Amino acid sequence: MHNSRRSFIQQAGLLAAGMMLPGGLFAQTEKKGLSRNIGLQLYTLRDQLDKDVKSTIIRVAQIGYKEVETYYGYQGEKDKGTFWGLKPSELKALFQEYQLATPSGHYQLNDYLTRGNGDPAALQPQIDLAASLGQQYFIVPVLPLSLWDKKLTTDDYKFMAEQLNKAGELCKKSNLQIGYHNHYWEFKKLADSNTTGYEVMLKNTDPALVSFELDLFWAVKSGVDPLKLFSQAPGRFVAWHVKDMDKKNTASLTAAGNENKTSMQLLSGVSFAEVGTGSINFRQIFAQAKQAGVQHIFVEQDKITIDPFDSITKSYNYVKNVLVK
């Protein structure tokens, strides 16, 4: 367990360096089933939050965002039950002061989802944090880091599905629902079958307990059509991460020839774009929001090449004026 956690902290340093890296329901548009309250995954502004959390949150609210999604557990021992040095009660008060709702948060369950480990020690303390913030969705953000470069099998993903079901039961006691957020690994063909880990998790998790936060970028970047997912599992995608893809860099990460490349080799070559400036057909995807079941939309960008606040403003304006208009 300790080695796994140490590995997580080391890899998290790479995440923070930019290698790669859901409330009551709000009023929705009748046409699309979409909330007009656009959210931001705060990981997008991780560097700014580390420097000055209050001024960063003020800027987010001034741009027009109405929801924010937190993240926790990426910095190991540095987190210690706080968010950028703030206790949950202090962060909740800050959000309320600037009229920001936080329906969702990302929480680290690396050990808990690792087959052969399954350590639940991190689960309840983080559920308590999410409940303290008044969140409704407790989202697992990433595949356990120790599994990134392993040839995973159907049983590996069945174990994770079973663990998510168990966690879902526990979350329910705190009025939370657990959800899973994807990257590209979940869409790779499994070593022992012609299916993917994502399909296994969809099939083996209880819809009443486990939902999914679909990162649209990583799905498309993995050669997956989100519309097919919505058709296969309607209503299960309670939240989306909305970020665009560099038009000059659209090759699938699961394409032939990438099988033996390491995660870091692949992730280091990924590039992003502000929403509406890249290659993803968001109009087509947003037209199927009702079928997907989406209630919350979070803009996110893992790596930004312009001023971060200009970036999230451009993405916000496109989502607001084009996609949920």
Side-chain angles (χ1 to χ4, degrees):
M1 181 177 72
H2 296 298
N3 288 337
S4 177
R5 183 172 290 112
R6 185 157 48 245
S7 174
F8 183 92
I9 295 169
Q10 290 171 347
Q11 294 287 7
L14 293 174
L15 300 184
M19 294 286 287
M20 65 164 286
L21 45 50
L25 302 181
F26 294 99
Q28 299 171 346
T29 63
E30 191 172 310
K31 180 180 178 181
K32 297 180 181 179
L34 282 170
S35 170
R36 293 185 181 276
N37 294 309
I38 302 162
L40 177 72
Q41 166 48 258
L42 291 174
Y43 185 73
T44 306
L45 299 176
R46 54 197 176 276
D47 294 336
Q48 289 71 35
L49 286 162
D50 284 342
K51 294 176 182 177
D52 190 335
V53 58
K54 184 173 183 178
S55 66
T56 300
I57 294 303
I58 292 172
R59 292 286 297 275
V60 170
Q62 288 174 337
I63 289 167
Y65 287 96
K66 297 301 182 183
E67 298 184 349
V68 288
E69 186 174 51
T70 60
Y71 62 91
Y72 179 87
Y74 293 8
Q75 300 185 76
E77 294 301 318
K78 287 181 67 177
D79 290 301
K80 291 185 177 179
T82 64
F83 298 81
W84 312 289
L86 299 179
K87 296 178 182 179
S89 59
E90 294 172 324
L91 183 62
K92 184 177 181 179
L94 178 61
F95 289 158
Q96 290 176 337
E97 182 178 359
Y98 295 98
Q99 299 181 319
L100 289 168
T102 180
S104 172
H106 280 195
Y107 297 93
Q108 194 275 110
L109 294 181
N110 192 51
D111 294 337
Y112 179 74
L113 293 177
T114 302
R115 197 174 172 203
N117 187 334
D119 182 12
L123 185 51
Q124 189 61 55
Q126 293 188 86
I127 288 176
D128 292 342
L129 289 175
S132 296
L133 287 172
Q135 294 174 334
Q136 290 77 49
Y137 294 96
F138 180 105
I139 304 296
V140 178
V142 67
L143 188 76
L145 300 183
S146 62
L147 304 182
W148 284 10
D149 292 322
K150 290 188 176 180
K151 301 288 186 182
L152 298 182
T153 66
T154 302
D155 284 344
D156 288 315
Y157 278 99
K158 282 185 175 180
F159 173 81
M160 284 187 267
E162 291 169 1
Q163 292 292 90
L164 289 172
N165 285 332
K166 292 176 184 177
E169 292 279 9
L170 194 56
C171 282
K172 188 176 180 180
K173 296 177 181 179
S174 296
N175 296 315
L176 290 159
Q177 185 173 61
I178 198 163
Y180 186 87
H181 167 277
N182 63 281
H183 288 83
Y184 84 94
W185 301 280
E186 300 87 352
F187 296 114
K188 295 166 64 175
K189 291 295 182 182
L190 297 176
D192 62 340
S193 69
N194 193 37
T195 190
T196 68
Y198 203 79
E199 291 170 323
V200 172
M201 286 197 291
L202 278 172
K203 183 178 179 179
N204 291 278
T205 49
D206 184 344
L209 296 173
V210 182
S211 54
F212 289 81
E213 179 175 68
L214 185 65
D215 190 302
L216 298 170
F217 172 93
W218 290 111
V220 175
K221 189 65 176 172
S222 306
V224 173
D225 183 354
L227 303 187
K228 291 184 178 180
L229 286 177
F230 305 156
S231 177
Q232 292 168 2
R236 296 206 66 185
F237 306 94
V238 298
W240 287 344
H241 272 192
V242 183
K243 54 195 175 197
D244 219 336
M245 188 182 304
D246 183 352
K247 292 179 180 179
K248 298 178 181 179
N249 187 11
T250 61
S252 171
L253 294 180
T254 63
N258 286 340
E259 299 89 349
N260 296 318
K261 292 181 181 179
T262 69
S263 296
M264 284 305 162
Q265 285 177 317
L266 292 172
L267 293 172
S268 63
V270 173
S271 50
F272 305 84
E274 283 64 45
V275 182
T277 68
S279 64
I280 297 179
N281 188 343
F282 285 111
R283 290 174 184 261
Q284 185 181 57
I285 295 171
F286 272 65
Q288 299 304 317
K290 189 173 182 179
Q291 183 183 41
V294 66
Q295 305 292 346
H296 302 282
I297 299 163
F298 297 107
V299 167
E300 185 189 37
Q301 193 162 326
D302 299 38
K303 287 191 287 187
I304 297 176
T305 58
I306 63 175
D307 177 85
F309 294 105
D310 288 344
S311 173
I312 66 170
T313 300
K314 289 183 178 181
S315 291
Y316 172 84
N317 286 337
Y318 187 81
V319 175
K320 179 188 178 189
N321 297 326
V322 177
L323 299 180
V324 299
K325 186 174 180 181

